[in-house]
Amino acid sequence: MSEGQTPQQQANTVEYFLQDIEHHGRNERTAAAYQRVLTDYESFLAERFEKAPPEASYRDCMAWIHELRSTHSESTVATYASYLNRFYSYLERVGHTDENPMTVVLEEMSESIESNPTRRDITLPEMRSFVADVRHPLHRAIVVTLLKTGIRAGELCNLDLIDCHLEHEAQTWQPRAHIAGRPDSLFVSTEHTYGEESGGERRTASNKRKRETVIPIDDELKEVLVRWLAVRPDVAGDSRTPSAAATEPLFVGTADSWGQRLTPNVVHHVVEQYARERGWYRTGGGASENVTPHYFRHFFTTHLRDRTGDRGIVQYLRGDVASDVIDTYTHNWGDRVRETYLEHIYSVAP
């Protein structure tokens, strides 16, 4: 125990650290991952060595890493080690421990985080079979939207009604100006940031793209969205007027969070549920094994790039780093991007 540190302070070190990373803008899912890993580490220390985290030595940390190796992939072990290293760096900085025991552990570890892992190879027929098993209207809308657009889970959660322009009677709101003249399209903004207010609402996810993007909606995705809108729960004050739609989420909960905007955690839970049933997800599995919402972005990128042979259009749709070429696609959206997309986007219907 550091000099002057009470048992109560020792017990709250993880809680203090989680508050610190939240204040630094870490999103809800990242904070939840830190909490899960550090809570498991606390339990390990208490059960194995009867210690609290500030009392742990290099050998205690190494014992935890060794135990992880029996159930987790190398990349996951490296990721969890990086979480623990940041935690101890914080404790050292605020005076809760004299040194970071993870410094030597990281030097001796052979595992590393895969920045661009080789992911599970799923064929288009296999993906169609997967989608066929997703029958819940909300769950199907989530999965098909991710597969058809390549957007991130957080970007999906941040979609408002006005970001969706459907040429269908199911649409009872005025779409935003960016897509008012572009029927059957989605608008993905760059403005939403985790923890900050946007559209009169504090957001639970960030949009990480470098530029705003207009993504076409094909007939298949349109049908799924129309079916979802037919059963979408009303939210408080839902009058479907243009002003109300400006801050109303496109995707809302149908269970515990009835009528509330989805969070990335909910989206990940939905995808994980179906992926486990298919044998595509294992606790402790890394990015090369597990199918998560981000896997669908990888699937979208790979298949559409192979079909079009046009890396620039795929970069535009993904909202990647800007260039003069991307500006060309932005100004030529109606001809080049939409036509190419509709001609080459894969079908996920069985």
Side-chain angles (χ1 to χ4, degrees):
M1 182 187 299
S2 296
E3 187 176 353
Q5 186 179 347
T6 68
Q8 183 63 33
Q9 287 176 317
Q10 277 202 327
N12 291 337
T13 51
V14 170
E15 180 182 340
Y16 293 152
F17 171 72
L18 293 173
Q19 291 174 356
D20 182 75
I21 64 172
E22 183 178 349
H23 293 156
H24 282 81
R26 292 283 180 168
N27 64 37
E28 179 184 353
R29 181 166 177 79
T30 300
Y34 270 98
Q35 182 176 30
R36 183 183 67 253
V37 172
L38 294 177
T39 300
D40 287 346
Y41 172 67
E42 271 191 311
S43 298
F44 171 82
L45 287 180
E47 295 171 3
R48 182 73 66 85
F49 304 111
E50 297 184 351
K51 291 182 178 180
E55 301 173 303
S57 66
Y58 147 76
R59 291 185 179 278
D60 300 329
C61 292
M62 199 68 232
W64 182 67
I65 294 296
H66 182 69
E67 182 159 296
L68 289 179
R69 286 171 172 155
S70 64
T71 54
H72 294 72
S73 69
E74 290 188 4
S75 182
T76 300
V77 171
T79 298
Y80 289 2
S82 72
Y83 289 0
L84 195 58
N85 179 57
R86 179 170 181 180
F87 170 62
Y88 274 113
S89 294
Y90 163 80
L91 294 189
E92 184 179 19
R93 188 172 69 251
V94 299
H96 284 298
T97 187
D98 296 329
E99 61 181 358
N100 179 354
M102 283 298 295
T103 301
V104 178
V105 175
L106 291 178
E107 291 176 355
E108 297 185 358
M109 284 179 60
S110 59
E111 294 88 351
S112 61
I113 299 173
E114 295 179 85
S115 59
N116 188 25
T118 301
R119 297 182 182 271
R120 178 186 290 273
D121 184 18
I122 297 176
T123 66
L124 192 51
E126 288 174 328
M127 187 59 76
R128 287 173 179 150
S129 175
F130 173 81
V131 173
D133 290 339
V134 183
R135 302 188 181 278
H136 188 289
L138 172 60
H139 299 174
R140 191 173 182 86
I142 290 171
V143 169
V144 175
T145 300
L146 293 172
L147 279 169
K148 288 284 192 171
T149 65
I151 63 177
R152 300 174 176 87
E155 293 168 345
L156 179 141
C157 294
N158 276 326
L159 287 173
D160 294 320
L161 284 177
I162 63 169
D163 295 325
C164 179
H165 187 178
L166 292 175
E167 200 166 39
H168 192 277
E169 61 184 12
Q171 178 174 301
T172 57
W173 61 89
Q174 181 66 35
R176 67 166 66 241
H178 301 74
I179 53 175
R182 297 174 173 178
D184 295 333
S185 60
L186 284 175
F187 177 80
V188 186
S189 173
T190 59
E191 65 181 15
H192 306 307
T193 302
Y194 170 78
E196 296 185 7
E197 189 170 298
S198 180
E201 178 185 351
R202 191 169 297 280
R203 301 288 170 155
T204 60
S206 298
N207 283 11
K208 298 181 180 178
R209 56 188 57 221
K210 302 300 182 181
R211 61 164 61 238
E212 59 190 32
T213 313
V214 178
I215 304 177
I217 295 174
D218 72 346
D219 290 342
E220 198 169 71
L221 177 55
K222 183 176 180 178
E223 179 182 357
V224 169
L225 291 175
V226 167
R227 288 177 179 272
W228 159 240
L229 289 168
V231 299
R232 172 184 173 270
D234 290 342
V235 299
D238 185 355
S239 60
R240 295 300 173 87
T241 63
S243 59
T247 56
E248 285 184 28
L250 176 59
F251 296 106
V252 298
T254 58
D256 295 338
S257 56
W258 179 269
Q260 298 177 21
R261 183 184 297 276
L262 293 188
T263 65
N265 277 348
V266 173
V267 175
H268 278 262
H269 176 74
V270 167
V271 173
E272 178 186 328
Q273 168 189 339
Y274 292 100
R276 279 188 185 277
E277 293 174 358
R278 178 69 51 154
W280 292 351
Y281 193 99
R282 177 183 64 83
T283 300
S288 61
E289 178 181 359
N290 287 348
V291 169
T292 65
H294 197 76
Y295 179 88
F296 297 143
R297 183 169 170 83
H298 160 76
F299 189 91
F300 171 86
T301 301
T302 302
H303 282 263
L304 197 59
R305 186 178 59 217
D306 290 349
R307 285 165 167 253
T308 64
D310 193 327
R311 183 180 296 271
I313 283 184
V314 177
Q315 285 181 319
Y316 166 76
L317 293 169
R318 284 172 53 94
D320 287 342
V321 178
S323 69
D324 293 340
V325 175
I326 302 302
D327 287 333
T328 300
Y329 291 122
T330 303
H331 295 303
N332 198 24
W333 186 91
D335 298 327
R336 182 74 180 276
V337 175
R338 185 173 183 84
E339 290 178 7
T340 302
Y341 175 91
L342 293 178
E343 180 181 353
H344 295 286
I345 188 62
Y346 44 81
S347 170
V348 294

